[in-house]
Amino acid sequence: MNDYQLIVIGAGPGGYSAALRAAQLGMKAAVVESREAGGTCLNRGCVPAKTLLHASDVYHSAVHSGDIGVHIQGARVDMGEIFAYKRHVSETLAAGVENLLKSARVPLFRGRGRITGPHTVQVTGADGTAASYTGDNILIATGSVPARPPIPGLELEGVMTSDELLQGTDHLYRSIVIIGGGVIGVEFATFYADLGCQVTIIEGLDRLLPTLDRELGQNLAMGMKRQGVQVFTNATVERVERAEDGLRVCFDARGKSGDVTGEAVLCAIGRRPYYEGLFAEDIKPETDGRSLRVDGRFQTSIPGVYAVGDVSSRYQLAHVAAAQGTACVEMLCGVENATDLDLVPSCIYCRPEIATVGLTEAEAKAAGIPVKVGKCVMGGNARTLLAEAGRSFMKLVANAETGELLGAHLMCLNSTDMISQLSGAIADRLTARQLLHTMRPHPTYEEALTDALHDLCGKLEKK
């Protein structure tokens, strides 16, 4: 008889969610983690980054409040205190995860987990001592790490990934060059631009946030340029080199050479699945060249070994990992999972926020689906106007024949708190007309959704 019914390797959102759900369903579970509980999300990713963005937003509001009659003199930034605040938030949440596991009677084994045989995990502690545990099932939730492309000069001092940047600094950089205009890049660009740092973004594709609706990235670039951020798109970084006044990043943009210098450089081109050293030499799981390959039940090519989250998914998001971890355990226990795992909302905490779910207009057309698009530009929205939020809009995509909502793309304040109602509408296959049954209060940001729906319904009815 094995020691446990489930051994989870990794205590991030996918791992601890799976372990807690397993305990709820009566399984005897254990978790293995070599670092802090909470994984990348709570300690080196979304939560620390959003904590910094909260601090920079407070500062930005303070120094730009004169237009509304609030004059604050002497506002200053203390980077040491900001990063101490970030550490406090992460440590509080990580301790909360440990308490949840403890309350659920799920042991947390500290050390590096390694799958050494069928149903066997060896845990090696920081002092080198090792112990082995057996489990009916093993769930891998080891997440991802920042990717470093083979660009000459990325090894220079002052060139960082998000992991190193989030460790903190005792002063505000005069300037920073960010390689990559995806979610990580634009969020850190927002943070540093808020604090008065000169920011440059270099993105290899034709726009910022290239995986999202085209209009979102285009509008974000315009907004950032108004904040003083330099944005280069269709630009390939060729090398980073030492310069007299910092680090010079040399790039090619549409066949023309360019360079920009910064005190620091952030490499933010994405993350790669992490499973180095996880398997004994004679155990070789199938991969797709990058991620662990899993089937519809999250099982790898090794019977009894499962994987969820960044290590096996194209979606590198904490809520996806948590949902997959929960679904995997429920499948093991024969419980029906209710979450639509293919419908994934994405949130970007720039200014204004961006939230999106479902298909873009271009994706729907590429799939051969006839669509209509409704939109509300929020220049007349009272909350947007009084908050001086800048250009904001809501865009909705619906099936032209059935009226069912297929996608929603919001760029406005509080959009990240509104996207779930639209995710639910898509999951429940609601039509634009049905969504108009809901009365939305005034004055709120979400009343613009009613205007976007009226615009969409008008186009649908013109068939």
Side-chain angles (χ1 to χ4, degrees):
M1 184 176 184
N2 290 319
D3 300 322
Y4 296 95
Q5 291 171 285
L6 178 69
I7 299 176
V8 180
I9 305 177
Y16 73 72
S17 296
L20 292 172
R21 184 61 176 142
Q24 288 177 343
L25 294 174
M27 295 181 76
K28 185 180 180 183
V31 177
V32 179
E33 175 57 62
S34 62
R35 303 182 70 175
E36 311 93 336
T40 294
C41 176
L42 296 195
N43 299 285
R44 297 170 299 280
C46 33
V47 169
K50 277 55 173 182
T51 305
L52 297 183
L53 283 163
H54 173 65
S56 71
D57 184 59
V58 171
Y59 176 78
H60 181 271
S61 297
V63 299
H64 293 88
S65 59
D67 290 346
I68 62 173
V70 179
H71 302 275
I72 300 173
Q73 296 181 354
R76 64 182 181 85
V77 171
D78 186 309
M79 296 299 284
E81 292 179 356
I82 286 177
F83 278 96
Y85 167 61
K86 183 270 301 180
R87 286 191 293 274
H88 167 71
V89 171
S90 291
E91 289 168 1
T92 300
L93 291 171
V97 170
E98 291 194 35
N99 287 333
L100 286 172
L101 293 172
K102 184 177 180 180
S103 297
R105 298 184 179 180
V106 175
L108 177 60
F109 298 127
R110 295 289 185 179
R112 293 186 62 83
R114 181 177 171 86
I115 300 172
T116 56
H119 308 287
T120 305
V121 175
Q122 182 184 74
V123 181
T124 303
D127 60 358
T129 59
S132 291
Y133 304 91
T134 58
D136 298 345
N137 303 285
I138 298 169
L139 176 61
I140 299 167
T142 49
S144 61
V145 293
R148 277 184 179 269
I151 297 173
L154 287 191
E155 75 285 351
L156 292 172
E157 184 180 355
V159 180
M160 304 168 288
T161 65
S162 57
D163 278 10
E164 287 94 39
L165 187 151
L166 285 168
Q167 290 176 6
T169 179
D170 60 357
H171 73 285
L172 176 63
Y173 298 124
R174 299 183 308 276
S175 55
I176 187 169
V177 180
I178 299 175
I179 303 172
V183 175
I184 297 171
V186 301
E187 288 190 346
F188 280 115
T190 300
F191 170 71
Y192 280 107
D194 279 352
L195 300 182
C197 174
Q198 175 57 55
V199 178
T200 302
I201 302 177
I202 302 173
E203 166 56 43
L205 296 179
D206 64 344
R207 63 187 187 276
L208 300 182
L209 303 176
T211 62
L212 302 186
D213 180 88
R214 176 174 294 275
E215 193 172 358
L216 296 173
Q218 292 172 336
N219 276 271
L220 178 60
M222 289 189 292
M224 286 197 155
K225 289 175 182 177
R226 285 193 292 270
Q227 281 186 270
V229 176
Q230 281 188 298
V231 178
F232 295 96
T233 55
N234 282 316
T236 302
V237 175
E238 297 177 330
R239 66 187 181 280
V240 181
E241 57 191 25
R242 185 69 62 190
E244 283 188 15
D245 52 350
L247 293 163
R248 182 182 299 114
V249 180
C250 304
F251 59 91
D252 179 276
R254 299 181 177 87
K256 295 183 179 179
S257 297
D259 64 79
V260 63
T261 301
E263 182 182 352
V265 173
L266 171 64
C267 179
I269 64 158
R271 302 178 66 86
R272 60 178 178 82
Y274 180 71
Y275 49 89
E276 284 83 354
L278 181 62
F279 299 94
E281 292 182 4
D282 59 339
I283 301 175
K284 298 189 183 299
E286 291 182 7
T287 72
D288 61 6
R290 177 179 169 85
S291 306
L292 294 178
R293 192 186 300 278
V294 297
D295 62 17
R297 296 176 60 83
F298 304 101
Q299 184 168 242
T300 68
S301 58
I302 304 170
V305 177
Y306 301 79
V308 298
D310 293 11
V311 75
S312 61
S313 173
R314 71 182 187 274
Y315 299 111
Q316 295 182 333
L317 296 166
H319 49 279
V320 172
Q324 290 180 344
T326 299
C328 180
V329 167
E330 290 181 344
M331 289 179 188
L332 288 174
C333 294
V335 175
E336 182 180 357
N337 179 259
T339 303
D340 184 342
L341 298 176
D342 294 322
L343 188 61
V344 177
S346 296
C347 298
I348 300 94
Y349 294 81
C350 46
R351 182 178 298 106
E353 293 176 349
I354 290 173
T356 179
V357 68
L359 298 177
T360 66
E361 180 180 7
E363 288 170 340
K365 289 180 177 178
I369 303 172
V371 295
K372 294 290 184 180
V373 177
K375 184 176 175 182
C376 173
V377 177
M378 298 169 64
N381 177 266
R383 284 293 301 279
T384 300
L385 184 63
L386 66 88
E388 298 184 312
R391 178 176 170 79
S392 303
F393 65 90
M394 295 187 181
K395 180 187 288 189
L396 304 176
V397 180
N399 187 307
E401 296 176 350
T402 66
E404 289 180 10
L405 191 66
L406 300 175
H409 311 280
L410 316 182
M411 186 173 187
C412 62
L413 293 181
N414 289 11
S415 62
T416 58
D417 293 313
M418 291 186 280
I419 197 65
S420 289
Q421 64 172 293
L422 295 168
S423 299
I426 297 171
D428 293 336
R429 304 187 66 176
L430 297 183
T431 66
R433 178 59 61 187
Q434 287 172 320
L435 286 171
L436 280 174
H437 294 172
T438 301
M439 183 186 299
R440 297 173 178 85
H442 171 81
T444 61
Y445 298 110
E446 73 170 346
E447 66 180 318
L449 181 56
T450 297
D451 295 329
L453 286 166
H454 277 301
D455 184 54
L456 178 56
C457 287
K459 292 176 179 175
L460 288 168
E461 290 161 5
K462 283 182 180 177
K463 295 178 183 178

